[in-house]
Amino acid sequence: GESVGLHLPTLSVQEGDNSIINCAYSNSASDYFIWYKQESGKGPQFIIDIRSNMDKRQGQRVTVLLNKTVKHLSLQIAATQPGDSAVYFCAENYGGTYKYIFGTGTRLKVLA
Amino acid sequence: DGGITQSPKYLFRKEGQNVTLSCEQNLNHDAMYWYRQDPGQGLRLIYYSQIVNDFQKGDIAEGYSVSREKKESFPLTVTSAQKNPTAFYLCASSIGVSGGDYEQYFGPGTRLTVT
């Protein structure tokens, strides 16, 4: 498989439990944020996004929370499943430009 | 099926050779991007293109070149001038670059190994 996941922080979660993955973003002026999921050897997949005028956004089994005060983003996955095992990373954007800043990611391992 | 395709999935080259990575999209997106992914690092932008026949350098453009002759295609050439070319290369596209159409869609990636 790909080596991009080496040396990443790992979160191990029991199947069926909830997962919380965190991201500290860098630019206090960033106004758009995305969470991506990347499985081994594959390209990143969009999971959910949030704009800076929101604190929380929910999708199917996922919730993103944004705390602008401390520049923190979190991804909550409900009832974690084996298929959720992957590397998750956040991306931030300012002003709708081409420039995205990507986090290094967290590896999620789901234990059966 | 709409999406972004990259080929090949794995590519092996000898040092000193140029190599071109393919990226095609049928999403009718104006903007396309090339990123490089290395272990323990976030994605780094190599080049981006907002429209056909236009492209701009990203943060790590040295040793790379691109072209954008068609809306659907944005090939990346890794030249012999690139000091550490071995990496996982990701192509992405978005509807536009500004105006609120931010979301980037990624291709499956090409793993380039140079020995």
Side-chain angles (χ1 to χ4, degrees), chain B residues 16-80:
Chain B
Q17 292 180 333
N18 292 353
V19 60
T20 298
L21 282 58
S22 165
C23 177
E24 304 277 330
Q25 55 99 359
N26 61 4
L27 300 167
N28 199 33
H29 285 173
D30 283 322
M32 297 187 74
Y33 312 77
W34 273 105
Y35 292 94
R36 172 183 171 132
Q37 190 173 39
D38 294 284
Q41 296 192 42
L43 301 182
R44 292 184 290 166
L45 182 66
I46 304 173
Y47 267 97
Y48 72 101
S49 168
Q50 298 186 61
I51 198 165
V52 174
N53 292 323
D54 178 73
F55 48 84
Q56 306 295 329
K57 292 182 179 179
D59 299 318
I60 55 165
E62 186 175 347
Y64 300 97
S65 66
V66 293
S67 63
R68 187 88 187 275
E69 297 175 4
K70 297 187 299 182
K71 188 175 186 177
E72 303 78 22
S73 178
F74 191 40
L76 173 74
T77 296
V78 184
T79 75
S80 56

Short mmCIF file of all heavy atoms in Angstrom, two decimals, chain B residues 16-80:
data_model
loop_
_atom_site.label_atom_id
_atom_site.label_comp_id
_atom_site.label_asym_id
_atom_site.label_seq_id
_atom_site.Cartn_x
_atom_site.Cartn_y
_atom_site.Cartn_z
N GLY B 16 17.17 10.88 -14.00
CA GLY B 16 17.63 11.57 -15.20
C GLY B 16 16.63 11.56 -16.34
O GLY B 16 16.81 12.24 -17.35
N GLN B 17 15.56 10.79 -16.18
CA GLN B 17 14.52 10.73 -17.22
C GLN B 17 13.36 11.63 -16.84
O GLN B 17 12.96 11.69 -15.67
CB GLN B 17 14.01 9.29 -17.37
CG GLN B 17 15.02 8.32 -17.94
CD GLN B 17 14.44 6.92 -18.05
OE1 GLN B 17 13.54 6.54 -17.31
NE2 GLN B 17 14.97 6.15 -18.99
N ASN B 18 12.79 12.29 -17.84
CA ASN B 18 11.55 13.01 -17.64
C ASN B 18 10.39 12.02 -17.70
O ASN B 18 10.47 11.00 -18.40
CB ASN B 18 11.34 14.08 -18.71
CG ASN B 18 12.33 15.20 -18.60
OD1 ASN B 18 13.11 15.28 -17.66
ND2 ASN B 18 12.31 16.09 -19.58
N VAL B 19 9.32 12.32 -16.97
CA VAL B 19 8.15 11.44 -17.01
C VAL B 19 6.90 12.31 -16.93
O VAL B 19 6.87 13.31 -16.22
CB VAL B 19 8.20 10.40 -15.86
CG1 VAL B 19 8.23 11.07 -14.49
CG2 VAL B 19 7.05 9.44 -15.95
N THR B 20 5.87 11.92 -17.67
CA THR B 20 4.62 12.67 -17.69
C THR B 20 3.50 11.87 -17.07
O THR B 20 3.26 10.72 -17.43
CB THR B 20 4.25 13.08 -19.12
OG1 THR B 20 5.28 13.94 -19.63
CG2 THR B 20 2.92 13.83 -19.14
N LEU B 21 2.81 12.50 -16.12
CA LEU B 21 1.67 11.90 -15.45
C LEU B 21 0.39 12.48 -16.05
O LEU B 21 0.26 13.69 -16.23
CB LEU B 21 1.72 12.21 -13.95
CG LEU B 21 2.67 11.40 -13.06
CD1 LEU B 21 4.11 11.52 -13.52
CD2 LEU B 21 2.53 11.87 -11.62
N SER B 22 -0.54 11.59 -16.30
CA SER B 22 -1.77 11.99 -16.96
C SER B 22 -2.86 12.31 -15.94
O SER B 22 -2.97 11.67 -14.90
CB SER B 22 -2.24 10.86 -17.87
OG SER B 22 -3.57 11.05 -18.27
N CYS B 23 -3.68 13.32 -16.24
CA CYS B 23 -4.86 13.64 -15.45
C CYS B 23 -5.96 14.11 -16.38
O CYS B 23 -5.76 15.05 -17.16
CB CYS B 23 -4.55 14.73 -14.42
SG CYS B 23 -6.01 15.23 -13.47
N GLU B 24 -7.10 13.44 -16.31
CA GLU B 24 -8.24 13.78 -17.14
C GLU B 24 -9.48 13.89 -16.27
O GLU B 24 -9.66 13.08 -15.36
CB GLU B 24 -8.49 12.68 -18.19
CG GLU B 24 -7.31 12.35 -19.08
CD GLU B 24 -7.18 13.30 -20.24
OE1 GLU B 24 -8.21 13.83 -20.69
OE2 GLU B 24 -6.04 13.54 -20.69
N GLN B 25 -10.33 14.89 -16.56
CA GLN B 25 -11.59 15.00 -15.83
C GLN B 25 -12.74 15.24 -16.79
O GLN B 25 -12.57 15.92 -17.80
CB GLN B 25 -11.50 16.12 -14.76
CG GLN B 25 -11.09 17.48 -15.28
CD GLN B 25 -12.22 18.44 -15.53
OE1 GLN B 25 -13.40 18.12 -15.35
NE2 GLN B 25 -11.90 19.66 -15.95
N ASN B 26 -13.88 14.66 -16.46
CA ASN B 26 -15.08 14.87 -17.27
C ASN B 26 -16.18 15.53 -16.45
O ASN B 26 -17.38 15.30 -16.71
CB ASN B 26 -15.55 13.55 -17.88
CG ASN B 26 -15.91 12.52 -16.83
OD1 ASN B 26 -15.88 12.80 -15.65
ND2 ASN B 26 -16.27 11.32 -17.28
N LEU B 27 -15.75 16.34 -15.49
CA LEU B 27 -16.69 17.04 -14.61
C LEU B 27 -17.02 18.43 -15.13
O LEU B 27 -17.78 19.16 -14.50
CB LEU B 27 -16.08 17.15 -13.20
CG LEU B 27 -15.76 15.81 -12.52
CD1 LEU B 27 -14.89 16.02 -11.30
CD2 LEU B 27 -17.05 15.10 -12.16
N ASN B 28 -16.41 18.80 -16.24
CA ASN B 28 -16.58 20.13 -16.82
C ASN B 28 -16.09 21.24 -15.86
O ASN B 28 -16.62 22.33 -15.84
CB ASN B 28 -18.05 20.39 -17.20
CG ASN B 28 -18.18 21.53 -18.20
OD1 ASN B 28 -17.29 21.73 -19.03
ND2 ASN B 28 -19.26 22.27 -18.13
N HIS B 29 -15.07 20.89 -15.09
CA HIS B 29 -14.50 21.85 -14.15
C HIS B 29 -13.49 22.74 -14.86
O HIS B 29 -12.71 22.29 -15.69
CB HIS B 29 -13.81 21.13 -13.00
CG HIS B 29 -14.77 20.54 -12.01
ND1 HIS B 29 -14.35 19.72 -10.98
CD2 HIS B 29 -16.11 20.67 -11.88
CE1 HIS B 29 -15.41 19.37 -10.26
NE2 HIS B 29 -16.48 19.92 -10.79
N ASP B 30 -13.49 24.02 -14.47
CA ASP B 30 -12.52 24.94 -15.05
C ASP B 30 -11.14 24.80 -14.42
O ASP B 30 -10.13 24.93 -15.08
CB ASP B 30 -13.00 26.39 -14.86
CG ASP B 30 -14.09 26.77 -15.84
OD1 ASP B 30 -14.02 26.34 -17.01
OD2 ASP B 30 -15.02 27.49 -15.44
N ALA B 31 -11.12 24.58 -13.11
CA ALA B 31 -9.85 24.61 -12.39
C ALA B 31 -9.30 23.21 -12.17
O ALA B 31 -10.05 22.27 -11.85
CB ALA B 31 -10.02 25.31 -11.04
N MET B 32 -8.01 23.07 -12.33
CA MET B 32 -7.33 21.80 -12.06
C MET B 32 -6.04 22.07 -11.31
O MET B 32 -5.46 23.16 -11.40
CB MET B 32 -7.05 21.05 -13.37
CG MET B 32 -8.33 20.67 -14.10
SD MET B 32 -8.07 19.62 -15.53
CE MET B 32 -7.70 18.03 -14.77
N TYR B 33 -5.63 21.06 -10.53
CA TYR B 33 -4.50 21.21 -9.62
C TYR B 33 -3.64 19.95 -9.61
O TYR B 33 -4.14 18.86 -9.81
CB TYR B 33 -5.00 21.42 -8.18
CG TYR B 33 -6.09 22.43 -7.99
CD1 TYR B 33 -7.41 22.12 -8.32
CD2 TYR B 33 -5.83 23.69 -7.46
CE1 TYR B 33 -8.43 23.05 -8.14
CE2 TYR B 33 -6.84 24.61 -7.26
CZ TYR B 33 -8.14 24.29 -7.61
OH TYR B 33 -9.15 25.20 -7.41
N TRP B 34 -2.37 20.14 -9.32
CA TRP B 34 -1.48 19.02 -9.04
C TRP B 34 -0.87 19.20 -7.66
O TRP B 34 -0.36 20.27 -7.33
CB TRP B 34 -0.36 18.92 -10.07
CG TRP B 34 -0.71 18.15 -11.28
CD1 TRP B 34 -0.98 18.64 -12.52
CD2 TRP B 34 -0.81 16.73 -11.39
NE1 TRP B 34 -1.26 17.61 -13.39
CE2 TRP B 34 -1.16 16.42 -12.71
CE3 TRP B 34 -0.64 15.67 -10.49
CZ2 TRP B 34 -1.35 15.13 -13.17
CZ3 TRP B 34 -0.82 14.38 -10.93
CH2 TRP B 34 -1.18 14.12 -12.26
N TYR B 35 -0.95 18.11 -6.87
CA TYR B 35 -0.36 18.09 -5.54
C TYR B 35 0.62 16.94 -5.44
O TYR B 35 0.50 15.93 -6.13
CB TYR B 35 -1.44 17.87 -4.47
CG TYR B 35 -2.39 19.01 -4.29
CD1 TYR B 35 -3.61 19.03 -4.96
CD2 TYR B 35 -2.10 20.07 -3.44
CE1 TYR B 35 -4.52 20.06 -4.79
CE2 TYR B 35 -2.99 21.11 -3.25
CZ TYR B 35 -4.20 21.10 -3.93
OH TYR B 35 -5.08 22.13 -3.75
N ARG B 36 1.50 17.10 -4.50
CA ARG B 36 2.43 16.04 -4.15
C ARG B 36 2.17 15.66 -2.70
O ARG B 36 1.95 16.54 -1.85
CB ARG B 36 3.84 16.57 -4.32
CG ARG B 36 4.91 15.67 -3.83
CD ARG B 36 6.28 16.31 -3.96
NE ARG B 36 7.25 15.47 -3.27
CZ ARG B 36 8.39 15.09 -3.78
NH1 ARG B 36 8.76 15.50 -4.99
NH2 ARG B 36 9.20 14.32 -3.09
N GLN B 37 2.18 14.35 -2.41
CA GLN B 37 1.94 13.87 -1.06
C GLN B 37 3.12 13.03 -0.62
O GLN B 37 3.48 12.05 -1.28
CB GLN B 37 0.65 13.06 -1.00
CG GLN B 37 0.21 12.72 0.42
CD GLN B 37 -1.16 12.07 0.46
OE1 GLN B 37 -1.50 11.27 -0.40
NE2 GLN B 37 -1.96 12.40 1.46
N ASP B 38 3.73 13.42 0.49
CA ASP B 38 4.85 12.69 1.07
C ASP B 38 4.48 12.25 2.48
O ASP B 38 3.67 12.91 3.15
CB ASP B 38 6.10 13.58 1.12
CG ASP B 38 6.61 13.92 -0.26
OD1 ASP B 38 7.22 13.03 -0.88
OD2 ASP B 38 6.37 15.06 -0.73
N PRO B 39 5.11 11.16 2.96
CA PRO B 39 4.78 10.67 4.30
C PRO B 39 4.91 11.74 5.37
O PRO B 39 5.91 12.46 5.42
CB PRO B 39 5.80 9.55 4.50
CG PRO B 39 6.15 9.10 3.13
CD PRO B 39 6.10 10.33 2.28
N GLY B 40 3.89 11.87 6.21
CA GLY B 40 3.95 12.78 7.34
C GLY B 40 3.77 14.25 6.99
O GLY B 40 3.93 15.12 7.85
N GLN B 41 3.43 14.52 5.73
CA GLN B 41 3.24 15.91 5.32
C GLN B 41 1.86 16.11 4.71
O GLN B 41 1.29 15.18 4.13
CB GLN B 41 4.29 16.32 4.29
CG GLN B 41 5.71 16.30 4.81
CD GLN B 41 6.67 16.98 3.85
OE1 GLN B 41 6.36 18.03 3.30
NE2 GLN B 41 7.82 16.39 3.65
N GLY B 42 1.36 17.33 4.81
CA GLY B 42 0.12 17.64 4.11
C GLY B 42 0.37 17.77 2.62
O GLY B 42 1.52 17.88 2.17
N LEU B 43 -0.68 17.77 1.84
CA LEU B 43 -0.55 17.94 0.40
C LEU B 43 0.11 19.27 0.09
O LEU B 43 -0.21 20.29 0.71
CB LEU B 43 -1.93 17.91 -0.27
CG LEU B 43 -2.77 16.65 -0.08
CD1 LEU B 43 -4.07 16.78 -0.86
CD2 LEU B 43 -2.00 15.43 -0.53
N ARG B 44 1.00 19.25 -0.89
CA ARG B 44 1.67 20.48 -1.31
C ARG B 44 1.36 20.75 -2.77
O ARG B 44 1.48 19.85 -3.62
CB ARG B 44 3.17 20.37 -1.08
CG ARG B 44 3.55 20.32 0.42
CD ARG B 44 5.05 20.31 0.61
NE ARG B 44 5.65 19.07 0.18
CZ ARG B 44 6.96 18.90 -0.01
NH1 ARG B 44 7.78 19.91 0.15
NH2 ARG B 44 7.42 17.71 -0.38
N LEU B 45 1.02 22.00 -3.06
CA LEU B 45 0.58 22.38 -4.40
C LEU B 45 1.76 22.58 -5.33
O LEU B 45 2.68 23.36 -5.04
CB LEU B 45 -0.24 23.67 -4.31
CG LEU B 45 -0.83 24.19 -5.61
CD1 LEU B 45 -1.87 23.22 -6.17
CD2 LEU B 45 -1.45 25.57 -5.39
N ILE B 46 1.71 21.91 -6.49
CA ILE B 46 2.78 22.02 -7.47
C ILE B 46 2.42 23.08 -8.51
O ILE B 46 3.15 24.05 -8.73
CB ILE B 46 3.03 20.68 -8.17
CG1 ILE B 46 3.34 19.59 -7.14
CG2 ILE B 46 4.17 20.80 -9.17
CD1 ILE B 46 3.43 18.18 -7.75
N TYR B 47 1.29 22.89 -9.16
CA TYR B 47 0.79 23.82 -10.16
C TYR B 47 -0.73 23.82 -10.09
O TYR B 47 -1.35 22.84 -9.67
CB TYR B 47 1.19 23.38 -11.58
CG TYR B 47 2.46 23.97 -12.11
CD1 TYR B 47 3.66 23.24 -12.03
CD2 TYR B 47 2.50 25.22 -12.71
CE1 TYR B 47 4.84 23.76 -12.53
CE2 TYR B 47 3.68 25.75 -13.21
CZ TYR B 47 4.86 25.01 -13.11
OH TYR B 47 6.03 25.53 -13.60
N TYR B 48 -1.34 24.90 -10.55
CA TYR B 48 -2.78 24.92 -10.73
C TYR B 48 -3.12 25.70 -12.01
O TYR B 48 -2.31 26.49 -12.51
CB TYR B 48 -3.49 25.51 -9.51
CG TYR B 48 -3.33 26.99 -9.32
CD1 TYR B 48 -4.33 27.88 -9.69
CD2 TYR B 48 -2.18 27.52 -8.75
CE1 TYR B 48 -4.19 29.25 -9.52
CE2 TYR B 48 -2.02 28.88 -8.57
CZ TYR B 48 -3.03 29.74 -8.95
OH TYR B 48 -2.88 31.09 -8.76
N SER B 49 -4.31 25.43 -12.49
CA SER B 49 -4.78 26.07 -13.71
C SER B 49 -6.22 26.49 -13.51
O SER B 49 -7.06 25.68 -13.12
CB SER B 49 -4.66 25.11 -14.89
OG SER B 49 -5.36 25.59 -16.01
N GLN B 50 -6.51 27.73 -13.78
CA GLN B 50 -7.88 28.24 -13.60
C GLN B 50 -8.70 28.10 -14.87
O GLN B 50 -9.94 28.12 -14.83
CB GLN B 50 -7.86 29.69 -13.18
CG GLN B 50 -7.16 29.94 -11.85
CD GLN B 50 -7.28 31.38 -11.41
OE1 GLN B 50 -8.38 31.88 -11.20
NE2 GLN B 50 -6.15 32.05 -11.24
N ILE B 51 -7.99 28.00 -16.01
CA ILE B 51 -8.70 27.98 -17.28
C ILE B 51 -7.76 27.43 -18.34
O ILE B 51 -6.53 27.41 -18.15
CB ILE B 51 -9.18 29.42 -17.63
CG1 ILE B 51 -10.29 29.39 -18.66
CG2 ILE B 51 -8.02 30.30 -18.02
CD1 ILE B 51 -11.02 30.71 -18.78
N VAL B 52 -8.32 27.03 -19.43
CA VAL B 52 -7.49 26.48 -20.52
C VAL B 52 -6.43 27.50 -20.95
O VAL B 52 -6.67 28.71 -20.97
CB VAL B 52 -8.40 26.13 -21.72
CG1 VAL B 52 -7.58 25.70 -22.93
CG2 VAL B 52 -9.36 25.02 -21.34
N ASN B 53 -5.25 26.97 -21.23
CA ASN B 53 -4.11 27.76 -21.69
C ASN B 53 -3.56 28.71 -20.64
O ASN B 53 -2.82 29.65 -20.98
CB ASN B 53 -4.45 28.55 -22.97
CG ASN B 53 -4.65 27.62 -24.16
OD1 ASN B 53 -3.97 26.61 -24.29
ND2 ASN B 53 -5.61 27.95 -25.01
N ASP B 54 -3.92 28.48 -19.41
CA ASP B 54 -3.38 29.30 -18.32
C ASP B 54 -3.02 28.39 -17.15
O ASP B 54 -3.79 27.50 -16.81
CB ASP B 54 -4.39 30.34 -17.87
CG ASP B 54 -3.86 31.16 -16.70
OD1 ASP B 54 -2.97 32.02 -16.91
OD2 ASP B 54 -4.31 30.93 -15.56
N PHE B 55 -1.88 28.59 -16.53
CA PHE B 55 -1.52 27.84 -15.34
C PHE B 55 -0.53 28.67 -14.52
O PHE B 55 0.16 29.55 -15.04
CB PHE B 55 -0.94 26.46 -15.67
CG PHE B 55 0.14 26.46 -16.72
CD1 PHE B 55 1.46 26.73 -16.39
CD2 PHE B 55 -0.17 26.16 -18.04
CE1 PHE B 55 2.45 26.71 -17.35
CE2 PHE B 55 0.81 26.13 -19.00
CZ PHE B 55 2.13 26.42 -18.66
N GLN B 56 -0.51 28.38 -13.23
CA GLN B 56 0.31 29.13 -12.30
C GLN B 56 1.11 28.19 -11.42
O GLN B 56 0.64 27.09 -11.09
CB GLN B 56 -0.57 30.01 -11.39
CG GLN B 56 -1.52 30.93 -12.13
CD GLN B 56 -0.80 31.99 -12.94
OE1 GLN B 56 0.29 32.42 -12.55
NE2 GLN B 56 -1.39 32.40 -14.04
N LYS B 57 2.27 28.63 -11.00
CA LYS B 57 3.09 27.84 -10.08
C LYS B 57 2.45 27.82 -8.69
O LYS B 57 1.92 28.82 -8.22
CB LYS B 57 4.49 28.43 -9.98
CG LYS B 57 5.29 28.31 -11.25
CD LYS B 57 6.70 28.86 -11.06
CE LYS B 57 7.50 28.71 -12.34
NZ LYS B 57 8.87 29.26 -12.19
N GLY B 58 2.61 26.67 -8.07
CA GLY B 58 2.21 26.55 -6.68
C GLY B 58 3.42 26.73 -5.78
O GLY B 58 4.37 27.42 -6.13
N ASP B 59 3.39 26.05 -4.66
CA ASP B 59 4.45 26.24 -3.66
C ASP B 59 5.75 25.49 -4.00
O ASP B 59 6.82 25.87 -3.54
CB ASP B 59 3.95 25.76 -2.29
CG ASP B 59 2.75 26.55 -1.83
OD1 ASP B 59 2.74 27.78 -2.01
OD2 ASP B 59 1.80 25.93 -1.30
N ILE B 60 5.65 24.43 -4.79
CA ILE B 60 6.84 23.60 -5.04
C ILE B 60 6.96 23.26 -6.52
O ILE B 60 7.14 22.12 -6.90
CB ILE B 60 6.80 22.31 -4.19
CG1 ILE B 60 5.50 21.52 -4.42
CG2 ILE B 60 6.95 22.62 -2.70
CD1 ILE B 60 5.57 20.08 -3.91
N ALA B 61 6.92 24.27 -7.38
CA ALA B 61 6.89 24.04 -8.83
C ALA B 61 8.25 23.67 -9.43
O ALA B 61 8.30 23.16 -10.56
CB ALA B 61 6.36 25.30 -9.52
N GLU B 62 9.32 23.90 -8.73
CA GLU B 62 10.65 23.67 -9.31
C GLU B 62 10.83 22.20 -9.70
O GLU B 62 10.62 21.29 -8.90
CB GLU B 62 11.74 24.07 -8.32
CG GLU B 62 13.13 24.00 -8.92
CD GLU B 62 14.21 24.50 -7.97
OE1 GLU B 62 13.86 25.13 -6.96
OE2 GLU B 62 15.39 24.26 -8.24
N GLY B 63 11.25 22.00 -10.95
CA GLY B 63 11.47 20.64 -11.43
C GLY B 63 10.25 20.00 -12.06
O GLY B 63 10.29 18.84 -12.46
N TYR B 64 9.17 20.76 -12.14
CA TYR B 64 7.92 20.27 -12.74
C TYR B 64 7.48 21.20 -13.85
O TYR B 64 7.81 22.39 -13.84
CB TYR B 64 6.81 20.20 -11.70
CG TYR B 64 7.06 19.29 -10.52
CD1 TYR B 64 7.53 19.80 -9.32
CD2 TYR B 64 6.80 17.93 -10.61
CE1 TYR B 64 7.76 18.97 -8.23
CE2 TYR B 64 7.03 17.09 -9.52
CZ TYR B 64 7.50 17.62 -8.33
OH TYR B 64 7.72 16.80 -7.25
N SER B 65 6.70 20.67 -14.79
CA SER B 65 6.06 21.51 -15.79
C SER B 65 4.68 20.94 -16.11
O SER B 65 4.42 19.75 -15.89
CB SER B 65 6.90 21.60 -17.06
OG SER B 65 6.98 20.34 -17.70
N VAL B 66 3.80 21.81 -16.59
CA VAL B 66 2.43 21.40 -16.91
C VAL B 66 2.00 22.04 -18.22
O VAL B 66 2.65 22.95 -18.73
CB VAL B 66 1.42 21.80 -15.81
CG1 VAL B 66 1.67 21.03 -14.52
CG2 VAL B 66 1.44 23.30 -15.58
N SER B 67 0.88 21.57 -18.74
CA SER B 67 0.23 22.21 -19.87
C SER B 67 -1.28 22.10 -19.66
O SER B 67 -1.74 21.21 -18.94
CB SER B 67 0.64 21.56 -21.20
OG SER B 67 0.24 20.20 -21.23
N ARG B 68 -2.02 22.98 -20.28
CA ARG B 68 -3.48 22.93 -20.18
C ARG B 68 -4.04 23.33 -21.54
O ARG B 68 -4.57 24.43 -21.75
CB ARG B 68 -4.00 23.86 -19.09
CG ARG B 68 -5.51 23.71 -18.85
CD ARG B 68 -5.83 22.66 -17.86
NE ARG B 68 -7.24 22.41 -17.74
CZ ARG B 68 -8.09 23.11 -16.96
NH1 ARG B 68 -7.65 24.14 -16.24
NH2 ARG B 68 -9.35 22.77 -16.90
N GLU B 69 -3.93 22.43 -22.49
CA GLU B 69 -4.40 22.69 -23.85
C GLU B 69 -5.87 22.38 -24.02
O GLU B 69 -6.53 22.89 -24.93
CB GLU B 69 -3.56 21.88 -24.84
CG GLU B 69 -2.09 22.28 -24.84
CD GLU B 69 -1.26 21.38 -25.74
OE1 GLU B 69 -1.83 20.51 -26.42
OE2 GLU B 69 -0.03 21.57 -25.77
N LYS B 70 -6.38 21.54 -23.15
CA LYS B 70 -7.80 21.20 -23.18
C LYS B 70 -8.37 21.33 -21.77
O LYS B 70 -7.67 21.09 -20.79
CB LYS B 70 -8.00 19.75 -23.66
CG LYS B 70 -7.55 19.48 -25.06
CD LYS B 70 -7.95 18.06 -25.49
CE LYS B 70 -7.33 17.01 -24.62
NZ LYS B 70 -7.68 15.64 -25.07
N LYS B 71 -9.65 21.62 -21.69
CA LYS B 71 -10.28 21.78 -20.38
C LYS B 71 -10.20 20.50 -19.57
O LYS B 71 -10.06 20.51 -18.36
CB LYS B 71 -11.75 22.16 -20.59
CG LYS B 71 -12.49 22.54 -19.33
CD LYS B 71 -13.89 23.03 -19.66
CE LYS B 71 -14.60 23.56 -18.43
NZ LYS B 71 -15.92 24.10 -18.74
N GLU B 72 -10.28 19.36 -20.28
CA GLU B 72 -10.37 18.08 -19.58
C GLU B 72 -9.03 17.55 -19.10
O GLU B 72 -8.98 16.63 -18.30
CB GLU B 72 -10.95 17.02 -20.52
CG GLU B 72 -12.32 17.34 -21.10
CD GLU B 72 -12.26 18.32 -22.27
OE1 GLU B 72 -11.19 18.46 -22.90
OE2 GLU B 72 -13.29 18.97 -22.54
N SER B 73 -7.93 18.10 -19.59
CA SER B 73 -6.64 17.45 -19.39
C SER B 73 -5.61 18.40 -18.79
O SER B 73 -5.49 19.56 -19.22
CB SER B 73 -6.15 16.93 -20.75
OG SER B 73 -4.90 16.33 -20.63
N PHE B 74 -4.83 17.89 -17.85
CA PHE B 74 -3.82 18.72 -17.18
C PHE B 74 -2.62 17.83 -16.85
O PHE B 74 -2.38 17.47 -15.70
CB PHE B 74 -4.43 19.32 -15.91
CG PHE B 74 -3.60 20.39 -15.24
CD1 PHE B 74 -2.94 21.36 -15.98
CD2 PHE B 74 -3.54 20.48 -13.85
CE1 PHE B 74 -2.21 22.37 -15.37
CE2 PHE B 74 -2.82 21.48 -13.22
CZ PHE B 74 -2.16 22.43 -13.98
N PRO B 75 -1.83 17.46 -17.84
CA PRO B 75 -0.69 16.57 -17.59
C PRO B 75 0.45 17.25 -16.84
O PRO B 75 0.70 18.45 -17.05
CB PRO B 75 -0.25 16.15 -18.99
CG PRO B 75 -0.75 17.25 -19.88
CD PRO B 75 -2.00 17.79 -19.25
N LEU B 76 1.12 16.49 -16.02
CA LEU B 76 2.26 16.98 -15.23
C LEU B 76 3.51 16.25 -15.67
O LEU B 76 3.53 15.01 -15.71
CB LEU B 76 2.03 16.71 -13.75
CG LEU B 76 3.20 17.00 -12.80
CD1 LEU B 76 3.37 18.51 -12.60
CD2 LEU B 76 2.99 16.31 -11.45
N THR B 77 4.55 17.01 -16.01
CA THR B 77 5.84 16.39 -16.33
C THR B 77 6.80 16.60 -15.18
O THR B 77 6.99 17.74 -14.71
CB THR B 77 6.43 16.99 -17.62
OG1 THR B 77 5.56 16.67 -18.71
CG2 THR B 77 7.81 16.40 -17.91
N VAL B 78 7.35 15.51 -14.71
CA VAL B 78 8.37 15.55 -13.67
C VAL B 78 9.71 15.50 -14.39
O VAL B 78 10.03 14.50 -15.06
CB VAL B 78 8.22 14.36 -12.70
CG1 VAL B 78 9.23 14.48 -11.56
CG2 VAL B 78 6.80 14.29 -12.14
N THR B 79 10.46 16.55 -14.31
CA THR B 79 11.70 16.61 -15.08
C THR B 79 12.88 16.08 -14.26
O THR B 79 12.77 15.90 -13.03
CB THR B 79 12.00 18.04 -15.53
OG1 THR B 79 12.47 18.79 -14.41
CG2 THR B 79 10.78 18.70 -16.14
N SER B 80 13.99 15.92 -14.92
CA SER B 80 15.20 15.43 -14.24
C SER B 80 15.74 16.46 -13.24
O SER B 80 16.58 16.16 -12.41
CB SER B 80 16.26 15.06 -15.26
OG SER B 80 16.54 16.18 -16.09
#
